[in-house]
Amino acid sequence: MDVVSIGETMVLFTSEMQGLMRYARNFSVKIAGAETNTLIGLSRLGHQTGWISKLGQDEFGELVLSTVRGEGVNISRVTRDSSSPTGIFFKEFLHDGHVRVHYYRAHSAASRLEKRDIDENYIRNAKYLYLTGITPALSGSCREAVFTAIEYAKKYGIQIVFDPNIRKKLWKDVDAKEIILRIAKKADIVLPGMGEGDFLFGTSNPEMISEHFLNLGSRLVAVKLGADGAYFATENEKGTVSGYKIHRVIDPVGAGDGFAAGVLSGLLDHLNTREAVQRGCAIGAMVATVNGDIEGLPDKKLLRKFMNPENVDEVSR
């Protein structure tokens, strides 16, 4: 595997009308999960990816499994739980482009992941272990699973990539800041947003956020700046990559996962740091132009056209 990840993927119901969900009568059905969003993005770009998770022994679990498998992600370490359901969530588009998400994932099968579900050899044979701050927030056993995976990665010199992806609603009776920083101290590459920097360090300045993570031990930090692109820093290099202009943001959810896929893909393809971060910015922008978390993820041909639009016809005939 090039990249292995651990986390929950759910079935997503999106209202087909704009406005409050109480008036919605029709929904589109998709799947979404931060980790599989990134794994699918990498798979479309030609990389080998693997997913560790649990799903309910139900029809929603079948939908998730068949979709992720169909996208080329290895699902050999996904197990089924007959006593817990597959998580679901709903997305509503309000006025002025505001998106609101409602989760129904408490006591889901994925929240019952535990350290014995982590296969040491599966981690050992990867190039990168990709983690987010969502999985350790799901339950105590999920936190144990995440730290077990980190232990295996460190044991075999596998690089750890971490997107803090803080979801405050998920952290209950646990110090989110302490857990996130514990993981960050183990990570080789960290991909935070400005809001996460503010939560963890009390600053939204990308240079200061990067400095904090580098001081914790990271070798590369890429701070997402939304439409403005990203700021990156290593021990020897730093800089800003401009964002890509898009005519209209349709759905910003999942753009950060696309960014992670782009950066990781660039590193796997041996691009330099700036070029890898630039690829991340491009894919993040592409995802935001399409309704759904994975529907806007490109293959390499589409990515090249987006990043180099000169002499490209608007309609392919």
Side-chain angles (χ1 to χ4, degrees), residues 240-254:
T240 300
V241 173
S242 298
Y244 286 80
K245 291 184 179 180
I246 54 179
H247 296 299
R248 182 186 173 197
V249 174
I250 301 297
D251 183 1
V253 180

Side-chain angles (χ1 to χ4, degrees), residues 178-227:
E178 188 268 334
I179 299 295
I180 294 295
L181 289 176
R182 275 179 61 195
I183 299 173
K185 288 177 182 177
K186 303 288 187 179
D188 300 283
I189 300 170
V190 184
L191 308 173
M194 290 185 291
E196 290 154 351
D198 189 37
F199 175 78
L200 295 171
F201 306 117
T203 178
S204 56
N205 181 294
E207 293 186 33
M208 295 183 67
I209 294 169
S210 296
E211 185 175 344
H212 280 295
F213 280 115
L214 290 173
N215 288 338
L216 289 176
S218 300
R219 66 175 183 82
L220 166 62
V221 183
V223 183
K224 292 165 281 190
L225 308 178

Side-chain angles (χ1 to χ4, degrees), residues 221-281:
V221 183
V223 183
K224 292 165 281 190
L225 308 178
D228 293 327
Y231 175 85
F232 68 91
T234 67
E235 185 179 353
N236 302 312
E237 182 185 14
K238 60 183 178 181
T240 300
V241 173
S242 298
Y244 286 80
K245 291 184 179 180
I246 54 179
H247 296 299
R248 182 186 173 197
V249 174
I250 301 297
D251 183 1
V253 180
D257 307 324
F259 176 82
V263 173
L264 269 168
S265 172
L267 296 175
L268 287 164
D269 285 343
H270 307 293
L271 302 183
N272 64 41
T273 303
R274 177 177 290 276
E275 290 169 336
V277 174
Q278 186 174 34
R279 181 179 286 187
C281 289

Side-chain angles (χ1 to χ4, degrees), residues 33-244:
E35 295 81 11
T36 49
N37 292 345
T38 297
L39 294 177
I40 290 169
L42 285 162
S43 178
R44 290 188 188 173
L45 294 169
H47 305 291
Q48 300 298 313
T49 61
W51 181 41
I52 302 170
S53 190
K54 278 188 176 179
L55 292 165
Q57 193 72 53
D58 50 29
E59 285 300 308
F60 288 150
E62 293 293 338
L63 171 60
V64 172
L65 200 63
S66 63
T67 304
V68 175
R69 179 174 52 216
E71 291 287 352
V73 177
N74 181 280
I75 48 87
S76 64
R77 298 306 185 273
V78 178
T79 58
R80 308 297 292 274
D81 186 339
S82 60
S83 62
S84 300
T86 301
I88 64 173
F89 70 113
F90 294 79
K91 186 186 294 184
E92 60 181 340
F93 292 90
L94 302 176
H95 306 288
D96 300 321
H98 180 63
V99 179
R100 191 160 59 178
V101 175
H102 307 274
Y103 295 103
Y104 296 86
R105 69 198 310 179
H107 309 296
S108 67
S111 72
R112 296 193 175 190
L113 267 171
E114 49 191 330
K115 61 183 181 181
R116 67 179 179 178
D117 295 313
I118 308 302
D119 184 332
E120 182 172 350
N121 283 324
Y122 202 64
I123 303 294
R124 179 183 185 177
N125 290 308
K127 295 176 182 175
Y128 291 93
L129 172 65
Y130 176 68
L131 301 170
T132 78
I134 297 174
T135 306
L138 298 178
S139 67
S141 66
C142 281
R143 282 190 291 280
E144 289 184 357
V146 167
F147 281 106
T148 296
I150 290 171
E151 178 186 332
Y152 292 153
K154 287 295 184 184
K155 180 178 178 180
Y156 297 109
I158 309 306
Q159 294 193 66
I160 298 171
V161 183
F162 181 48
D163 181 345
N165 221 331
I166 296 170
R167 299 286 188 268
K168 294 180 182 178
K169 291 181 180 180
L170 294 178
W171 292 95
K172 298 178 181 178
D173 304 320
V174 179
D175 187 343
K177 183 175 178 180
E178 188 268 334
I179 299 295
I180 294 295
L181 289 176
R182 275 179 61 195
I183 299 173
K185 288 177 182 177
K186 303 288 187 179
D188 300 283
I189 300 170
V190 184
L191 308 173
M194 290 185 291
E196 290 154 351
D198 189 37
F199 175 78
L200 295 171
F201 306 117
T203 178
S204 56
N205 181 294
E207 293 186 33
M208 295 183 67
I209 294 169
S210 296
E211 185 175 344
H212 280 295
F213 280 115
L214 290 173
N215 288 338
L216 289 176
S218 300
R219 66 175 183 82
L220 166 62
V221 183
V223 183
K224 292 165 281 190
L225 308 178
D228 293 327
Y231 175 85
F232 68 91
T234 67
E235 185 179 353
N236 302 312
E237 182 185 14
K238 60 183 178 181
T240 300
V241 173
S242 298
Y244 286 80

